Amino acid sequence: MRVTASGLVVAGLLTAATVTVSACTAAGPPKAAAPASAPAADRTAAERPAPAGPASPAASPGTPVLTAAQAQAALIGESDLGVPWTAADSTATWHDGLLKAATGQADCQRLLEALYTDELLGAPAGPQAVTSLDDGDDAAQLRYQVDAGRSADVDRTLAWLRTLPGTCGRFTAQTTAAGTEAVQVADAGLRDFGDARQGLRITLTAQPSAADDPTTLTLDVAVVRVGDDAIVLTAGALGTLPDDTTEQALDIGVQRLAQVREQGRAQA
């Protein structure tokens, strides 16, 4: 299946093939923030999503927190998804074009901000690893993240995500480059991955002018808790995502994270 981008969106998904590992301190999922008006790298602290609620408690005794190396080992890669997935080169242009947007509805703005900053759980609170993959055949891009020891943050985020099909089922937002876009948010109906999970299917359709054809971004968002650790996945395509992308990535990823956690317990 191939998707042809039209109108505003620059062809080809470009994403930096980065596997980053960090150990920082922060708190829970982002709150509503002011409309995005500058690239994420240029934002001040006040403009980024604020932590929600108290910081996560430390992992219980006898439950080792993943190390940075273990978080990286729990990532999936291009070989797991097979052809045509490859390591990404840079951030997809639709990321700024369609996710950098403002709406007057607080929870919906919070969602847009979290998607744009790639911080559904808030800023990292411990070891984290991230990788990005491109599917050139379907103009799709997948971002896969493993976070260590964030069970309280994850559960708060899951509870919030479950409300969004009701509070943000349909809304409009003003983008910085593509005019007004129509946004729909629906439950993704994930299988029983991990210990707790929630997925959303989000579609964003923009038409810069009457002379342009509409451009639609289809975005799958999933958060899965495995013990105290978490997987955060976003997969987007201009048009329709390959049907099995999200569940295939989660199926492999949850098993891998469980194996890494078991190895960590054995070594402790």
Side-chain angles (χ1 to χ4, degrees):
M1 170 176 60
R2 296 177 178 269
V3 178
T4 301
S6 60
L8 104 103
V9 179
V10 179
L13 291 176
L14 322 168
T15 306
T18 55
V19 175
T20 55
V21 180
S22 62
C24 312
T25 57
K31 290 182 178 178
S37 59
D42 296 334
R43 294 183 174 199
T44 65
E47 293 177 70
R48 296 178 68 84
S56 301
S60 57
T63 307
V65 173
L66 290 180
T67 65
Q70 288 170 332
Q72 182 172 344
L75 292 173
I76 64 169
E78 54 192 289
S79 61
D80 294 310
L81 299 184
V83 176
W85 290 99
T86 59
D89 293 328
S90 60
T91 303
T93 53
W94 50 252
H95 186 271
D96 276 7
L98 293 171
L99 297 182
K100 193 180 197 179
T103 182
Q105 297 169 257
D107 262 350
C108 309
Q109 181 65 47
R110 179 183 171 193
L111 173 62
L112 291 173
E113 286 286 318
L115 294 173
Y116 180 69
T117 59
D118 291 316
E119 290 184 354
L120 277 165
L121 300 181
Q128 180 190 81
V130 181
T131 190
S132 297
L133 302 172
D134 279 349
D135 170 0
D137 285 0
D138 294 295
Q141 178 183 93
L142 181 146
R143 184 182 187 276
Y144 190 91
Q145 172 181 320
V146 174
D147 282 76
R150 304 197 62 176
S151 59
D153 293 338
V154 176
D155 287 341
R156 282 193 294 269
T157 298
L158 292 175
W160 171 60
L161 292 176
R162 291 182 188 117
T163 69
L164 294 181
T167 58
C168 297
R170 292 177 181 271
F171 66 97
T172 58
Q174 188 68 33
T175 70
T176 58
T180 301
E181 64 185 2
V183 185
Q184 296 183 39
V185 180
D187 190 293
L190 292 181
R191 293 193 283 114
D192 288 343
F193 294 109
D195 298 307
R197 83 294 309 164
Q198 180 60 42
L200 299 175
R201 168 63 64 90
I202 304 169
T203 57
L204 307 96
T205 302
Q207 187 170 4
S209 71
D212 295 312
D213 292 330
T215 297
T216 297
L217 170 66
T218 304
L219 195 69
D220 273 0
V221 177
V223 175
V224 177
R225 181 169 60 77
V226 180
D228 289 326
D229 308 313
I231 292 168
V232 180
L233 177 151
T234 57
L238 297 177
T240 304
L241 276 169
D243 289 339
D244 59 352
T245 297
T246 299
E247 295 219 343
Q248 181 183 357
L250 290 176
D251 194 23
I252 295 168
V254 168
Q255 293 181 55
R256 184 160 300 159
L257 178 54
Q259 291 168 355
V260 170
R261 285 170 52 84
E262 185 62 34
Q263 291 167 1
R265 281 192 291 269
Q267 294 166 3

